[in-house]
Amino acid sequence: MDISLIVSNILNPPILFFFLGMIAVFVKSDLEIPAPIPKLFSLYLLFAIGFKGGVELIKSGVTQEVILTLAAAMMMACIVPIYTFFILKWKLDTYDAAAIAATYGSISAVTFITASAFLTELGIAFDGYMVAALALMESPAIIVGLILVNIFAVDGKRELSWPEVLQEAFLNSSVFLLVGSLFIGVLTGERGWKVLEPFTQGLFYGVLTFFLLDMGLVAARRIKDLQKTGVFLILFAILIPILNAGIGLAIAKLIGMPRGDSLLFAVLCASASYIAVPAAMRMTVPEANPSLYVSTALAVTFPFNIIVGIPLYLYGINLFWS
């Protein structure tokens, strides 16, 4: 593997600020970002990436390539929770296995945004319609996870309020804003992009950098929770993303995705949700231990993907796409 790819990624300002946040916790600095600000920055990043994706989607149009990519995204979002559930069932009960499987079947929007910034830094083009794949992959894993609980729970089928479940899965703030921004980008097109460009483009990297600083703080605080997970889950949180990315790259090669889109698709397959799915699991599967599914996704998989995973997946693309 070309180590220069990892070095280039690590020396990106947003990644360095992620490390700075982790170091601040390890040295017991009093650095802290007030709670409403990270939430605002998260909403901004979703809005900006969704709007840009909508503009790019209207440029490219709904082609066969777009349809195949979105279908592949939906397929992976449904399949990943199923096989990860049975892997986890070797060591965990049904509730924890289903909650973690749903977490890894969904996606991390910030990992996707970081990968987009990485591609931009390297001058590798990618299509805006990949944001539509991002939007489609966030919710299905929640539904699949709950179906698995219903089927395999030892205490029999559970009474679930499906209207509440579907609302949480498809109308939570991140999905709603991302899809809404995508549609507004489609409706306004290039004219809308010119109007909002100073806001959606000029501020983007600064906001991403500040957000990753906060993510470094949060991830470092979650590391102590890994003591509860054991070696099995730590290995799972590293190896499963590599497996998922490998499957994603095989699908990308099969349907003929270009390099930039292939990396984003692999990142979507490899990432794990630490916001939307945990919130839904806390509400619908209270028997599951949140420290397991949150700490593995946030303290292991997220740092692994943004530091090593993204360059590793690009190396695979360079190897097999050449």
Side-chain angles (χ1 to χ4, degrees):
M1 179 178 173
D2 189 352
I3 301 299
S4 66
L5 281 175
I6 295 179
V7 173
S8 171
N9 189 44
I10 290 175
L11 294 180
N12 221 354
I15 305 299
L16 290 174
F17 273 91
F18 177 82
F19 282 127
L20 183 64
M22 295 191 77
I23 292 168
V25 173
F26 296 150
V27 300
K28 295 181 168 57
S29 168
D30 63 354
L31 176 63
E32 190 170 350
I33 299 171
I37 295 177
K39 177 66 174 176
L40 174 63
F41 284 170
S42 172
L43 293 175
Y44 166 83
L45 291 171
L46 290 168
F47 151 72
I49 196 75
F51 184 75
K52 182 177 181 181
V55 173
E56 294 298 326
L57 180 59
I58 199 65
K59 282 183 187 176
S60 64
V62 181
T63 62
Q64 181 181 356
E65 183 182 341
V66 173
I67 293 170
L68 286 174
T69 300
L70 298 185
M74 287 287 288
M75 181 186 73
M76 284 298 289
C78 293
I79 290 175
V80 169
I82 296 173
Y83 66 74
T84 51
F85 173 78
F86 289 106
I87 293 171
L88 290 160
K89 278 282 285 177
W90 289 347
K91 294 284 187 179
L92 303 175
D93 63 33
T94 294
Y95 302 113
D96 287 329
I100 297 171
T103 299
Y104 279 80
S106 187
I107 51 87
S108 161
V110 179
T111 309
F112 177 89
I113 291 166
T114 307
S116 303
F118 178 69
L119 288 172
T120 302
E121 185 78 17
L122 293 178
I124 300 174
F126 57 92
D127 291 297
Y129 64 75
M130 292 304 298
V131 178
L134 167 70
L136 287 172
M137 289 182 76
E138 183 152 20
S139 299
I142 298 173
I143 308 300
V144 174
L146 294 177
I147 291 171
L148 289 169
V149 168
N150 249 17
I151 294 172
F152 293 98
V154 292
D155 52 356
K157 292 189 179 296
R158 295 152 45 91
E159 289 296 325
L160 291 173
S161 173
W162 283 105
E164 287 185 17
V165 169
L166 295 174
Q167 169 128 358
E168 184 66 29
F170 294 103
L171 293 177
N172 69 73
S173 60
S174 58
V175 174
F176 185 80
L177 180 59
L178 186 66
V179 174
S181 301
L182 183 75
F183 274 112
I184 291 171
V186 168
L187 290 173
T188 58
E190 193 66 31
R191 179 179 57 84
W193 175 252
K194 288 177 181 175
V195 171
L196 288 178
E197 186 176 11
F199 182 65
T200 54
Q201 191 74 3
L203 296 176
F204 185 82
Y205 284 98
V207 172
L208 175 61
T209 300
F210 211 88
F211 185 75
L212 284 180
L213 170 65
D214 179 68
M215 291 304 303
L217 293 168
V218 175
R221 291 178 188 133
R222 283 285 178 182
I223 283 179
K224 63 182 180 182
D225 291 337
L226 294 177
Q227 296 171 355
K228 305 172 188 175
T229 68
V231 176
F232 171 74
L233 276 185
I234 294 172
L235 289 175
F236 172 90
I238 294 172
L239 297 178
I240 283 297
I242 297 174
L243 171 64
N244 292 345
I247 296 171
L249 288 180
I251 294 171
K253 180 70 173 175
L254 182 66
I255 65 179
M257 288 188 203
R259 289 171 65 220
D261 293 355
S262 298
L263 177 66
L264 294 180
F265 185 67
V267 165
L268 287 173
C269 295
S271 63
S273 171
Y274 51 81
I275 298 174
V277 175
M281 288 296 113
R282 279 177 181 162
M283 181 187 76
T284 55
V285 190
E287 299 91 342
N289 183 353
S291 68
L292 298 183
Y293 53 82
V294 175
S295 60
T296 49
L298 184 54
V300 182
T301 299
F302 177 71
F304 171 78
N305 272 328
I306 67 169
I307 296 165
V308 177
I310 294 171
L312 176 65
Y313 311 147
L314 182 60
Y315 172 76
I317 291 167
N318 290 338
L319 201 61
F320 294 106
W321 265 247
S322 58

